[in-house]
Amino acid sequence: MTGDAEAVLPVVLSAWTAVPRSRPATAACLVEMGSAAAPALPLIREELASVRRHNNDNSTGNMRYDVASDEALLRDCRTVVAALGA
C-alpha cells in the first residue's frame, strides 16, 4: 500500500463488504496500512469471530474451500488486531 492510506480506506472497506472473496487481499492491504486501518477493526473482529468462512457463499453443491487463503486472511486479521486493537 503506497500513498495516502486514509484516502483509500473507504474503497478497501467497501470491497471487504461487497466482495467477501476479496477479503484475503483486502486484509493484506489493511496490514500494510498500519494505523490508518483502525476504522476497519470492527470488520476484522467480526471476521475473526465468524464460524462461517469468507469463501463459503452458502450455495448448495458449489462449496468453495481455499484453506491457504483463509489461513492468510485469519493471520492478517490477527496481525491488524494485535497492532491496533489490543
Side-chain angles (χ1 to χ4, degrees), residues 5-83:
E6 290 179 11
V8 299
L9 185 61
V11 174
V12 171
L13 296 181
S14 176
W16 183 279
T17 304
V19 188
R21 68 181 175 270
S22 74
R23 289 180 187 172
T26 304
C29 288
L30 292 170
V31 169
E32 294 297 319
M33 293 173 97
S35 63
L41 281 171
L43 292 175
I44 296 293
R45 287 187 174 117
E46 184 179 327
E47 185 68 31
L48 288 170
S50 177
V51 296
R52 198 154 199 66
R53 302 311 324 142
H54 78 283
N55 54 2
N56 182 346
D57 65 5
N58 207 24
S59 61
T60 56
N62 188 19
M63 300 298 287
R64 295 173 292 143
Y65 292 102
D66 185 350
V67 175
S69 70
D70 193 54
E71 289 298 320
L73 168 63
L74 295 175
R75 182 194 65 237
D76 287 341
C77 286
R78 290 182 189 112
T79 299
V80 171
V81 169

